[in-house]
């Protein structure tokens, strides 16, 4: 039996396959031990398979158990592989013997090869234990197929997903049984470099069978490029084929005659008569039923819920609180298809009805006349009317309920009538003419008798307020305009300040009495000695912010006493309530934009090293040591005694043009170039309390009445002034009352500019305005 088993351990001879890898068959401890592969790879000449291991086991069943167990133990314990030189197996186990059936078949199939060329198909090496080890050549299968387009399948796992091989270093097996290694994947840096240097034909896609990247050919890349560029994907393709006219564009009116067809011309159709008789016969025989009973398949879907809102409708008894359902009104004559002529609209009424809005139409239809009922077309509002009728029935109230009758006007706050808020200016009393060009600024002196104005001609003029007569003038600039004029507060002195370019002039107009003029000169000359002493003591070592000098002979003879030279153009002058200090604002001055000047010492200070934003205006608090500075979007208040920031007010305007403080100091108004007037309550919030929009163009100036009257005004580029009533009480529980009173118009708009400045009389409800038309007006 041992010889019989050893005779089965023959080596299979295969054809040469240089391109395939070698298959290593070792005598390890796995199932592929010696004798288990005999006869699998070779076939006999007559096409029958060589007996395999199962046949060997079947032949061994006839032996005794002890003998078979001993032979199996000897066979398992032996690590030797039979060779051609072993004794006892020379006849059947010699692989190169031409008499063997396998070798005979192989030699018969390859007659062109000699015996030397058909040598052994294995090599003998030694394993780790020193025993001989047979290494067979790879099998190169040959397929006799005429299909040359069959794809060469490298991975033979079939439709098994590659995710099953995630825990293995390979992704399947090839046709020879070798493992298909997983393609190497670079690190993140290699992937980044690959993405930067894109190879030709790279798509970023992966083959689901092999896991390798898919590369496109040049033709496929060209097709993709054409599709991306909205070009024709292939030659000869016409994206715009000629249109096939299935119908003619000529409209034919049929029939040729509009007269109705007479009934005598009707010829019954015999074919239709046969079909009718066929249907009648089927009805008589019962094959066609007039009513088909519902089948089981026609039952309603239980998932679809339908509600009948009138299913439980029962007649209700008459009751005072019950309301019956609304009824449809009966049709009138105008709803007839052939109404009387007086109900038919003419062309003008029809056109007016068609052009009117749906809400303004008295009827939803127009009466139309038709000769016969058969000519009446379908009603286009049929479904809509039925739907509205259903809504009326469904939503109609069925029970009377008590309703609160509240007048919407009663919910609005009650504002006093403008007639009850008099006095306030309503008309133009005096017109001041004399300036050439725009009048940029004006101011009324503290006594209320004189008006000062300055404009583009560089001249400062002083007028008598009531008569409009000019009493004094001085030319301060040849090429530059007078940007602002302001009087010093207090009636003890008569001092006027004006800004021309980078210079600020302090002057004493002539028409005052000699005593007031003497006191005014003493107030202006007091600072010269202090400045001289300061320079002598070396107190001014830093660079001065402004130069205080005398203007010269001609200007001094006309009353101009002091000239202050700053670094940038001055746009705003604001005096302190005591008349000792005044501030100037130069929007382009950066660090020197805001300056505070001391009149008695001829001293100029720059309180801010760096100011956030472009400054627009500055003003002192009426009663506290607080200084307000306005930028384009914010208003900041500073405590001068503590030298710290108190509050940042946020009006919310895009560009602030001007602002003014209430005489009480707790409220302020802000005007902006985006046509908004904002009222701020400083005790309430940093946000506006009220926002008023009454102008169509930018607001240039705003001003409170400083004489105790609850009035304030604003001036706009639309050529108008808006007068408001603004009442402020001391009770913190009550808000300010703001009522618009009057719109004053009279100035002409010149080059998109209207009213540039406004000011109030110190005691009376009068105001003056400066316009771009070169005039000033007094409103009383």
């Amino acid at each position: 039996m041992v010889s019989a088993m050893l005779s089965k351990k023959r080596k299979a001879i295969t054809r040469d396959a240089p391109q395939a890898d070698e298959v290593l068959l070792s005598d390890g401890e796995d199932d592929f031990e010696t004798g288990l592969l005999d006869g699998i790879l070779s076939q006999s000449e007559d096409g029958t398979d060589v007996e395999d291991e199962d046949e060997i086991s079947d032949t061994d069943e006839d032996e005794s158990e002890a003998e078979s167990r001993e032979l199996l133990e000897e066979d398992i314990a032996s690590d030797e592989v039979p060779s051609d030189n072993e004794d006892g197996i020379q006849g059947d186990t010699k692989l190169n013997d031409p008499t063997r059936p396998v070798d005979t078949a192989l030699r018969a199939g390859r007659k062109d090869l000699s015996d030397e060329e058909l040598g052994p198909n294995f090599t003998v090496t030694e394993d780790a234990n020193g025993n001989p080890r047979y290494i067979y050549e790879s099998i190169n299968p040959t397929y006799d197929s005429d299909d040359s387009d069959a794809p060469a399948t490298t991975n033979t796992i079939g439709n098994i997903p590659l995710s099953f091989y995630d825990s293995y270093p390979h992704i399947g097996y090839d046709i020879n049984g070798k493992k298909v290694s997983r393609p190497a994947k670079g690190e993140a840096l290699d992937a980044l470099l690959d993405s930067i240097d894109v190879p030709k034909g790279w798509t970023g896609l992966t083959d689901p069978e092999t896991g390798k990247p898919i590369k496109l050919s040049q033709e496929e890349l060209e097709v993709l490029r054409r599709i991306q560029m909205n070009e024709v994907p292939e030659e000869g393709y016409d994206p715009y084929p000629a249109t096939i006219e299935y119908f003619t564009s000529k409209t034919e009116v049929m029939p040729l005659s509009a007269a109705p067809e007479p009934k005598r011309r009707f010829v019954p159709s015999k074919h239709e008569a046969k079909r009718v008789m066929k249907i009648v016969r089927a009805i008589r025989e019962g094959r066609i039923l007039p009513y088909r009973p519902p089948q089981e398949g026609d039952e309603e879907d239980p998932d679809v819920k339908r509600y009948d809102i009138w299913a439980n409708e029962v007649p209700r008894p008459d009751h005072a609180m019950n309301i019956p359902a609304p009824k449809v009104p009966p049709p009138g004559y105008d709803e007839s298809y052939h109404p009387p002529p007086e109900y038919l609209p003419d062309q003008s009424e029809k056109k007016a009805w068609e052009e009117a809005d749906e809400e303004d139409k008295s009827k939803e239809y127009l009466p139309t006349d038709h000769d016969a009922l058969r000519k009446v077309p379908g009603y286009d509002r049929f479904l809509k009317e039925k739907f509205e009728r259903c809504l009326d029935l469904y939503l109609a109230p069925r029970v009377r309920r008590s309703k609160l009758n509240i007048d919407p006007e009663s919910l609005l706050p009650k504002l006093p009538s403008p007639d009850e808020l008099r006095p306030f200016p309503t008309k133009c009393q005096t017109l001041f003419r004399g300036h050439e060009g725009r009048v940029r600024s004006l101011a009324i002196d503290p006594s209320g008798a004189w008006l000062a104005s300055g404009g583009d001609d560089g001249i400062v003029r002083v007028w008598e307020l009531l008569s409009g007569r000019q009493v004094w003038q001085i030319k301060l600039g040849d090429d530059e305009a007078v940007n602002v004029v302001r009087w010093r507060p207090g009636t003890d002195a008569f001092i006027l300040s004006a800004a021309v370019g980078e210079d600020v002039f302090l002057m004493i107009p002539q028409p005052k009495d000699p005593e007031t003029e003497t006191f005014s000169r003493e107030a202006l000359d007091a600072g010269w000695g202090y400045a001289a002493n300061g320079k002598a003591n070396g107190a001014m070592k830093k660079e001065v912010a402004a130069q205080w000098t005398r203007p010269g002979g001609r200007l001094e003879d006309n009353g101009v006493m002091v000239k202050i030279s700053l670094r940038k153009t001055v746009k705003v002058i604001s005096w302190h309530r005591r008349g000792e200090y005044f501030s100037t604002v130069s929007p382009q001055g950066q660090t020197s934009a805001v300056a505070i000047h001391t009149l008695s010492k001829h001293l100029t200070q720059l309180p801010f090293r760096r100011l956030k934003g472009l400054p627009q205006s500055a003003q002192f608090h009426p009663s506290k040591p607080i200084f307000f500075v306005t930028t384009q979007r914010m208003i900041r208040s500073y405590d001068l005694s503590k030298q710290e920031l108190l509050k940042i007010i946020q009006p919310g305007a895009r560009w602030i043009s001007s602002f003014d403080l209430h005489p009480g100091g707790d409220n302020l108004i802000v005007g902006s170039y985006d046509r908004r007037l904002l009222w701020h309550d400083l005790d309430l919030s940093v946000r506006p309390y009220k926002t008023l929009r009454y102008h169509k163009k930018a607001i240039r100036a705003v001003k409170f009445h400083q004489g105790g009257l609850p009035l304030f005004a604003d001036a706009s580029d639309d050529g108008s002034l808006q007068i408001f009533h603004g009442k402020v009480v001391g009770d913190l529980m009550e808000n300010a009352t703001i009522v618009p009173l009057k719109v004053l118009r009279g100035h002409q708009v010149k080059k998109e500019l209207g009213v540039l400045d406004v000011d109030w009389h110190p005691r009376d409800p009068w105001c003056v305005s400066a316009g771009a038309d070169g005039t000033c007006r007094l409103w009383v």
Side-chain angles (χ1 to χ4, degrees), residues 211-286:
K212 296 182 179 180
I214 299 176
K215 294 185 179 180
L216 300 180
S217 62
Q218 186 64 29
E219 292 78 7
E220 293 172 341
L221 291 175
E222 182 65 21
V223 172
L224 291 178
R225 186 194 66 79
R226 290 185 177 182
I227 293 175
Q228 185 179 5
M229 299 300 293
N230 293 330
E231 297 180 359
V232 179
E234 60 183 2
E235 299 295 337
Y237 174 76
D238 186 9
Y240 306 105
T243 304
I244 300 176
E245 300 291 344
Y246 293 98
F247 303 97
T248 179
S249 60
K250 297 180 180 180
T251 304
E252 298 182 359
V253 180
M254 297 297 289
L256 299 179
S257 176
E261 190 76 13
K263 293 185 178 181
R264 64 179 179 272
R265 295 184 183 179
F266 175 74
V267 178
S269 174
K270 294 183 179 181
H271 176 68
E272 292 180 357
K274 291 181 180 180
R275 294 184 61 186
V276 171
M277 290 305 299
K278 187 177 180 180
I279 296 174
V280 171
R281 192 179 300 110
I283 293 175
R284 290 175 180 176
E285 295 176 356

Side-chain angles (χ1 to χ4, degrees), residues 215 404 712 757 762 774:
K215 294 185 179 180
L404 298 177
F712 66 95
D757 198 5

Side-chain angles (χ1 to χ4, degrees), residues 18 47 222 258 270 410 543 673 682 702:
E222 182 65 21
K270 294 183 179 181
S410 63
E543 182 183 359
Y673 290 113
L682 301 182
V702 292

Side-chain angles (χ1 to χ4, degrees), residues 19-24 138 154-157 170-181:
Q19 68 276 13
D21 297 335
E22 294 183 352
V23 180
L24 303 180
S138 301
T154 58
N155 196 351
T156 60
I157 62 174
H170 59 280
I171 61 174
Y173 303 91
D174 58 2
I175 196 171
N176 296 327
K178 291 192 61 178
K179 298 178 181 180
V180 179
S181 301

Side-chain angles (χ1 to χ4, degrees), residues 10 52 59 74 135 251 282 293 321 374 407 409 433 526 570 671:
R10 290 172 296 183
D52 52 3
T59 56
E74 293 176 1
I135 300 177
T251 304
M321 300 300 294
R374 66 178 180 272
D407 186 11
E409 298 294 337
R433 296 181 181 272
V570 179

